[in-house]
Amino acid sequence: MVNGTVQQWIYSLVTLLIIFRSEGLFVNITYVLSGVAKGAVCLDGSPPAYHHDKGHGTGVNSWLIQMEGGGWCNNLTTCLFRKNTRLGSSKRMVENLAFSGILSNMPQFNPDFYNWNRVKVRYCDGSSFTGDVQAVNPITNLHFRGARIFLAVMEDLLAKGMKNAENAILSGCSAGGLTSILHCDSFKALLPMGAKVKCFSDAGYFVNARDISGAPHIEEYFRDVVSLHGSAKNLPAVCTSRLKPDLCLFPQNVAQHVRTPLFLVNAAYDSWQIKNILAPGVADPHGFWLNCKLDILKCSSRQLQIIQGYRLGFLRALNALGPSSSRGYFINSCYAHCQTEVQETWYRADSPKLANKTIAKALGDWFYDKNPFQKIDCPYPCDKTCHNRVSDPNVHPFDIDI
């Protein structure tokens, strides 16, 4: 018994040391004070913010801009809640943020981008940086200015050297991954003509699917987001000219029109989408799906059958990308959400792989035009390299569920 306890203690210590080594870099916050005068502010009126670790050596003129994720707010109640969190106020953000995975400064953990300028743009508007409403309600004091935040941050970074970029990537996770798709072409337009510019979305390919009750829950939710934040004028015109604006938050209606090279990383069984698009709480009032959503191993055979159907719908939506060689994708069969900011799923010996490549290797080779990469995994549970998410039923993070 004692030996077992000692072994467990040693294992825990080694795990902590690995985490410390891979997430040992903490980067100080920068507030974009110049944005306030332009109305580029968080939900509560505080200035936007980012964390920047400067590039060096061969990476001094290369920039990786990582847009933070964290869902959306679709009405005054949910936005008022966010207003008092880090997702609505820079006053609530930590001053020093750990950089790991795609943001790591160590070549053994991030071989292609470790010496680039790596920037984490904080998310505090609730609209994937698309909102712009001039009026401020004096009662709620809510500001819907996501699009202004995006531009103010980019202008600040251009002034700090990004105007000389030779290589640049706009990337992001979840709602930030959606941002990297929606703003991809406008990001490229800000940079020098000769720069190599590409975009990368991690877990940002949200699909328009009906929930288990047959209701269009996510479509209605996005409709509310677009309406509340005044997002329509900042969504890609090539989409809004032919579809309702709220449908232009769905990448399947936008991605084929993105002119800049685009790479997608997504789990075909995206855990956020299963929880919030397929089986949201409103469609499962008795909680029959609760255990399944927390741990895919606890799904019944019928639930797995429905989830397999969701995967097929996701792959059909992915077909909207078209056959372009400028597109890349890494679609694995894990039950996961956001796989690039965590070291264990980004680049480690036991990281998820497709065609024997980690996400880091596939993306790096694609960016530098070494090899194209367009791979879709076999159906669950065939992939033994997955790190499937198991959620704690006692934790209900405000930035996850809708």
Side-chain angles (χ1 to χ4, degrees), residues 35-111:
V36 177
K38 304 171 186 175
V41 292
C42 300
L43 285 172
D44 71 334
S46 58
Y50 62 83
H51 303 256
H52 174 201
D53 189 43
K54 292 183 178 179
H56 59 89
T58 58
V60 71
N61 287 321
S62 296
W63 292 75
L64 188 147
I65 313 300
Q66 179 81 352
M67 310 301 294
E68 185 178 27
W72 310 270
C73 60
N74 68 323
N75 55 43
L76 293 180
T77 300
T78 55
C79 289
L80 281 170
F81 178 74
R82 284 175 78 102
K83 176 183 168 184
N84 297 312
T85 73
R86 63 175 176 82
L87 291 171
S89 173
S90 59
K91 297 175 185 177
R92 304 281 182 160
M93 296 172 185
V94 296
E95 292 191 357
N96 292 287
L97 189 70
F99 272 25
S100 63
I102 195 172
L103 294 172
S104 174
N105 67 335
M106 300 183 186
Q108 66 269 37
F109 295 127
N110 189 22

Side-chain angles (χ1 to χ4, degrees), residues 56-65 113 115-117 157-158 161-170 187-188 190-198 367-369:
H56 59 89
T58 58
V60 71
N61 287 321
S62 296
W63 292 75
L64 188 147
I65 313 300
F113 311 116
N115 65 345
W116 284 32
N117 291 277
L157 294 173
L158 287 166
M162 196 169 71
K163 65 179 182 296
N164 301 315
E166 297 170 359
N167 298 294
I169 294 176
L170 180 66
F187 174 72
K188 179 178 172 58
L190 294 171
L191 296 167
M193 286 290 291
K196 178 191 281 286
V197 181
K198 298 188 179 185
F367 179 83
Y368 285 112
D369 301 315

Side-chain angles (χ1 to χ4, degrees), residues 212-226:
I212 52 175
S213 73
H217 175 67
I218 189 63
E219 184 177 321
E220 292 170 352
Y221 183 89
F222 274 1
R223 183 181 306 141
D224 292 342
V225 171
V226 170

Side-chain angles (χ1 to χ4, degrees), residues 105-330:
N105 67 335
M106 300 183 186
Q108 66 269 37
F109 295 127
N110 189 22
D112 287 298
F113 311 116
Y114 73 95
N115 65 345
W116 284 32
N117 291 277
R118 286 155 292 103
V119 179
K120 179 71 171 285
V121 179
R122 303 307 300 271
Y123 182 37
C124 64
D125 68 275
S127 72
S128 283
F129 298 87
T130 63
D132 191 356
V133 176
Q134 178 63 31
V136 178
N137 187 313
I139 298 175
T140 63
N141 197 37
L142 285 169
H143 299 70
F144 302 113
R145 305 283 179 75
R148 297 193 200 187
I149 291 175
F150 182 85
L151 187 57
V153 169
M154 295 306 152
E155 288 175 344
D156 201 64
L157 294 173
L158 287 166
K160 291 181 177 177
M162 196 169 71
K163 65 179 182 296
N164 301 315
E166 297 170 359
N167 298 294
I169 294 176
L170 180 66
S171 62
C173 150
S174 191
L178 176 58
T179 301
S180 68
I181 296 172
L182 297 175
H183 285 283
C184 184
D185 287 337
S186 59
F187 174 72
K188 179 178 172 58
L190 294 171
L191 296 167
M193 286 290 291
K196 178 191 281 286
V197 181
K198 298 188 179 185
C199 300
F200 168 49
S201 171
D202 175 14
Y205 206 87
F206 299 95
V207 299
N208 188 3
R210 291 181 177 269
D211 64 29
I212 52 175
S213 73
H217 175 67
I218 189 63
E219 184 177 321
E220 292 170 352
Y221 183 89
F222 274 1
R223 183 181 306 141
D224 292 342
V225 171
V226 170
S227 175
L228 180 67
H229 291 265
S231 299
K233 57 184 174 291
N234 296 309
L235 294 170
V238 70
C239 179
T240 57
S241 64
R242 60 188 181 85
L243 295 175
K244 294 183 296 183
D246 47 285
L247 295 178
C248 297
L249 271 185
F250 291 104
Q252 67 201 77
N253 297 324
V254 174
Q256 70 267 39
H257 302 295
V258 175
R259 299 182 300 277
T260 307
L262 174 65
F263 193 100
L264 304 175
V265 167
N266 230 103
Y269 307 89
D270 184 288
S271 58
W272 190 95
Q273 295 195 40
I274 299 299
K275 293 175 185 176
N276 295 283
I277 298 180
L278 178 64
V282 68
D284 182 34
H286 302 293
F288 295 132
W289 277 75
L290 180 59
N291 289 333
C292 173
K293 292 193 292 183
L294 294 173
D295 183 350
I296 196 169
L297 293 177
K298 295 180 179 178
C299 295
S300 68
S301 57
R302 176 56 182 157
Q303 287 170 331
L304 283 175
Q305 185 181 17
I306 293 170
I307 290 172
Q308 295 289 10
Y310 189 87
R311 169 186 178 267
L312 293 177
F314 177 90
L315 296 181
R316 284 193 296 271
L318 188 69
N319 286 335
L321 273 179
S324 173
S325 61
S326 71
R327 306 285 189 246
Y329 46 85
F330 186 110

Side-chain angles (χ1 to χ4, degrees), residues 378-389:
C378 48
Y380 174 88
C382 71
D383 190 339
K384 305 308 179 186
T385 69
C386 282
H387 292 234
N388 291 324
R389 174 174 288 195

